[in-house]
Amino acid sequence: MAMRRRQQHLKQQLLSGGIQGLVGKISIAGIVVVLCTFYLLSSARSNRSVPQSAGDRSEVNVEKLWETAPSDGWRPSSAPRSDWLPPQGQTNGYLRVRCNGGLNQQRSAICNAVLAARIMNATLVLPELDANSFWHDDSGFQGIYDVEHFIKTLRYDVRIVESIPEIHKNGKTGKLKGHQLRPPRDAPISWYTTVALQKMKEHGAIYLTPFSHRLAEEIDNAEYQRLRCRVNYHALRFKPHIMELSNSIVNRLRAQGHFLAIHLRFEMDMLAFAGCFDIFTPEEQKILRKYRETNFAPKDLVYNERRAIGKCPLTPEEVGLILRSMGFDKSTRIYLAAGDLFEGERFMKPFRSLFPRPENHSSVDTTGELEKNNRGLLGSAVDYMVCLLADIFMPTYDGPSNFANNLLGHRLYYGFRTVIRPDRKGLAPVFIDRENGHTAGFEEAVRRVMENTNFGGPHKRISPESFYTNSWPECFCQMSPQNPADKCPPDNIVDILNSRLESGALVDSSLSSSTSPRPSRRGEETP
C-alpha cells in the first residue's frame, strides 16, 4: 500500500507557542467575545499566520500508526490481586435486571449487574436484553452471547443461573416473583447494600428495571473495577457463529493489507441530539427538528455556538479531510461501521472522492446472513468485532456513543491498539476557517491538532471520560512496578482461585442445601 512516509518526530510545542505569541499582543480591552470561543479562533489564526519552515512542519508517521501504541511497560490484567473469595455461603436471593438501550449500552449494564450481584452476595439471573424496543430484534442474551462461557468465566465471582428456579409451596409449583425496583441513576454501592438488599431478603428476588447507568462508574475499589473488566473483556463473548462471521470479514479485509475501521456517527438520532441543523436543507431540518422534539428534552441550541466548541458530529467529508491531512492516501482500505447515514448518498460523495474503497459489513459478507439481519443485534455485534480487530479504529463522535466508548476501552485492554480520536473542539476553528475560504495551511493545522491527541496508549482517566472507555490503571499491571498496587498477579492465579472455590464448596456442603446451583468448573480459563 502506497503511503507517504514521514520520519521527523512530533513537535508538540508549536501550537501552544503560537497561541502565546498571539495572545501576548492583544490587550484585555480588545477581547469582546466569550473567552473559550476566542481561544479557539485565535488557535486557528496562529495556525495560519505563524511562518513554518520546511524543517518545522508537523508530521504524522502513518506507518507507525498501523502498529500498536506504546505500552510504557503496562499490560492488561483484570485478575484479582487481593484475597478475592468466591461467592460466600448461601445466596441472599435472586437478582433480575432488564438492560435497556442498544447492544453496547446493554453491555455496560451487564457488567454493572454482575458487580451488583457480587456486592449483595446474590445469584444473578441471566440478564434480559430489551432488544425489541430498540432493534426490533428478540434475540436476547442467549441469541447473542455464549451463555456457557459467560457463566464459566465468572464462576469465581458470582453465582449465575439462566432462570429463577421453581418453588414448591402448599403443594403448588411456581416461579419466584421478583419485587420490582427502579434504581436511581448512577446509584452508589450503599443503595445496593441497603435498599436493594433489604427488599431481596424480604421477597427472595428483586427485578431492577430499567437497568442502564444504574450503578456509579467511579468506585473507590480497584477489585470491583477489575470485576467489571473481567465481565466486559472476558466473559461477554459473542456466540461462535458471530465470531466466525466477524473473523471471516476481518480476514477478507486484511487480505490486501492493513485496514482502518471508522464509526461514522452521522445518523438522524445523533444529529438531532446535537442540534446541528444548519448544514441541511429546510426540509431536512424539519425532519431533524421533529425527531428532536419527539425524543429529547427541549433545549435552546444555537448551531454556530455548538459548532465552535466541537459539539457537532463530523461530516463524512470532514472525516476524510482529517485522514488525508494525516497522510492516508486513496489506497487506504476502510471499513465503515454505521447505521443509516442521514442523507447518506449526498454526504458520502465527498468522502468517496478522497477514499474510493469504503466497505461495510454487508458489502464484505459473502454469506448473505447480514443482509437478512442488517438492522438487528447481529449487525451491531459484527461491526463491534470488526472494529475491535481492525488495525486502526476511528470514532467520529465518541461523546454519547456507547459503541465508540466501549470499543475505545476494549482496544486499550486488547493491547493498546491504535485509535484516531479527532479533537472536534480543536478542529472546529480549522474547519470553520476552511469554510470561510482560508484554505492555506489547512492540512498543517489539522496535523498540529491531531498530533497532540492520544493514539491508544495508557493515559489518565479524566472526567467526563468513562471507565468503560479507559480502565487504566485498575485493569492493567506492570511486571516491574514503581507502585506495589500496579504489580501483576502471580502466574498461578487460576490455581489460587480454584483452591478458594473448592474450599468454599466444602463449606457450602456442610450447610443446608441452597436452591441455587453452584458454578460449573469445566475448563481452566484465566479471568
Side-chain angles (χ1 to χ4, degrees):
M1 183 180 296
M3 294 286 178
R4 284 180 287 172
R5 301 175 180 272
R6 307 179 189 278
Q7 303 298 326
Q8 295 179 322
H9 293 292
L10 303 179
K11 298 191 175 184
Q12 299 188 359
Q13 301 302 318
L14 282 172
L15 182 57
S16 59
I19 294 172
Q20 292 170 0
L22 180 62
V23 172
K25 299 177 183 179
I26 301 177
S27 65
I28 295 177
I31 300 177
V32 294
V33 292
V34 178
L35 183 60
C36 68
T37 304
F38 170 76
Y39 178 88
L40 293 170
L41 293 175
S42 63
S43 171
R45 292 190 185 107
S46 70
N47 287 343
R48 291 200 315 272
S49 61
V50 176
Q52 299 290 321
S53 66
D56 287 339
R57 291 181 62 190
S58 299
E59 304 288 349
V60 175
N61 190 331
V62 169
E63 292 302 318
K64 293 291 291 183
L65 291 181
W66 291 117
E67 303 171 6
T68 57
S71 69
D72 297 334
W74 292 89
R75 68 176 177 85
S77 174
S78 59
R81 295 174 211 174
S82 63
D83 294 330
W84 185 259
L85 299 175
Q88 297 297 290
Q90 280 192 312
T91 180
N92 283 324
Y94 292 90
L95 172 62
R96 290 178 58 206
V97 299
R98 181 177 65 85
C99 305
N100 54 305
L103 181 67
N104 292 282
Q105 184 170 308
Q106 292 169 355
R107 191 180 184 101
S108 302
I110 294 167
C111 298
N112 287 340
V114 171
L115 179 53
R118 172 75 187 195
I119 291 168
M120 295 188 289
N121 192 29
T123 299
L124 178 65
V125 181
L126 208 63
E128 301 170 20
L129 304 188
D130 183 26
N132 224 14
S133 62
F134 191 88
W135 288 109
H136 306 293
D137 183 333
D138 58 1
S139 302
F141 194 104
Q142 293 91 334
I144 295 296
Y145 294 110
D146 186 331
V147 174
E148 182 180 357
H149 176 80
F150 181 75
I151 295 174
K152 182 178 68 176
T153 302
L154 297 172
R155 66 193 181 278
Y156 306 112
D157 307 302
V158 291
R159 304 176 183 90
I160 303 174
V161 295
E162 294 193 41
S163 61
I164 293 182
E166 294 181 338
I167 58 173
H168 304 278
K169 189 175 182 181
N170 299 327
K172 296 181 179 180
T173 301
K175 284 197 173 182
L176 189 65
K177 293 183 179 179
H179 177 75
Q180 186 166 320
L181 287 173
R182 184 185 181 93
R185 186 177 176 88
D186 298 321
I189 288 177
S190 59
W191 185 86
Y192 288 90
T193 57
T194 55
V195 176
L197 185 57
Q198 179 184 347
K199 293 296 183 184
M200 178 177 286
K201 289 181 176 179
E202 286 178 13
H203 300 275
I206 57 174
Y207 181 40
L208 304 184
T209 178
F211 198 72
S212 172
H213 306 289
R214 301 295 159 169
L215 178 58
E217 276 194 18
E218 293 299 332
I219 296 175
D220 189 21
N221 184 320
E223 291 295 4
Y224 283 170
Q225 298 292 57
R226 282 191 275 273
L227 175 54
R228 277 172 161 160
C229 289
R230 289 199 290 281
V231 181
N232 206 4
Y233 307 134
H234 293 274
L236 282 174
R237 185 171 72 186
F238 294 121
K239 289 180 75 68
H241 76 282
I242 297 176
M243 300 295 285
E244 291 168 8
L245 179 56
S246 303
N247 282 325
S248 69
I249 289 175
V250 169
N251 291 338
R252 199 165 294 116
L253 289 166
R254 197 167 278 147
Q256 300 181 38
H258 299 298
F259 79 95
L260 181 155
I262 301 175
H263 183 221
L264 198 53
R265 199 67 168 96
F266 199 73
E267 297 144 337
M268 182 163 62
D269 63 331
M270 192 54 65
L271 292 166
F273 171 82
C276 300
F277 304 147
D278 288 30
I279 62 174
F280 298 100
T281 66
E283 187 60 32
E284 292 164 353
Q285 290 186 34
K286 184 178 178 181
I287 295 171
L288 291 172
R289 291 184 194 281
K290 182 178 180 181
Y291 187 94
R292 179 171 180 81
E293 290 170 3
T294 304
N295 295 279
F296 302 110
K299 192 174 183 180
D300 185 21
L301 301 175
V302 180
Y303 171 74
N304 289 339
E305 295 175 1
R306 303 282 290 171
R307 180 78 192 285
I309 58 175
K311 293 295 184 181
C312 290
L314 294 170
T315 67
E317 181 182 21
E318 288 170 340
V319 173
L321 290 170
I322 292 169
L323 291 174
R324 188 182 68 180
S325 298
M326 292 178 68
F328 293 92
D329 63 22
K330 285 190 172 185
S331 67
T332 305
R333 198 161 178 80
I334 291 176
Y335 179 88
L336 295 179
D340 293 329
L341 301 186
F342 189 69
E343 296 299 317
E345 191 60 36
R346 174 159 64 91
F347 281 96
M348 278 300 295
K349 189 174 181 180
F351 180 89
R352 288 195 178 95
S353 70
L354 296 168
F355 297 96
R357 304 176 64 191
E359 303 273 12
N360 59 34
H361 59 219
S362 296
S363 66
V364 187
D365 171 35
T366 58
T367 67
E369 185 174 358
L370 288 168
E371 191 66 30
K372 296 180 289 186
N373 194 4
N374 187 46
R375 295 181 56 83
L377 289 172
L378 174 62
S380 181
V382 169
D383 272 348
Y384 186 94
M385 286 306 304
V386 175
C387 289
L388 174 63
L389 298 173
D391 299 289
I392 300 173
F393 172 60
M394 181 182 186
T396 63
Y397 196 67
D398 56 336
S401 172
N402 294 293
F403 182 93
N405 286 335
N406 279 3
L407 271 166
L408 288 170
H410 206 155
R411 286 179 66 87
L412 189 76
Y413 189 86
Y414 197 55
F416 306 106
R417 300 177 75 84
T418 300
V419 296
I420 297 175
R421 299 179 69 175
D423 177 1
R424 296 192 310 277
K425 187 175 181 180
L427 289 167
V430 180
F431 281 118
I432 291 172
D433 272 359
R434 181 178 179 274
E435 291 166 11
N436 291 332
H438 304 294
T439 57
F442 168 78
E443 291 192 355
E444 170 69 14
V446 170
R447 283 193 294 273
R448 279 202 241 166
V449 173
M450 292 303 300
E451 71 181 11
N452 289 306
T453 61
N454 183 285
F455 288 106
H459 60 282
K460 184 177 180 180
R461 184 170 67 252
I462 300 176
S463 181
E465 189 174 36
S466 165
F467 174 79
Y468 292 105
T469 302
N470 178 12
S471 60
W472 184 89
E474 294 94 335
C475 296
F476 295 81
C477 68
Q478 287 184 308
M479 298 303 295
S480 302
Q482 295 181 347
N483 184 346
D486 298 328
K487 184 180 179 180
C488 291
D491 292 337
N492 66 334
I493 183 64
V494 173
D495 294 334
I496 294 172
L497 293 172
N498 267 328
S499 175
R500 291 173 184 167
L501 188 65
E502 289 170 354
S503 298
L506 290 173
V507 172
D508 284 350
S509 65
S510 66
L511 302 173
S512 59
S513 60
S514 171
T515 56
S516 61
R518 293 187 180 88
S520 166
R521 290 188 56 246
R522 284 174 292 177
E524 298 294 332
E525 183 163 335
T526 302

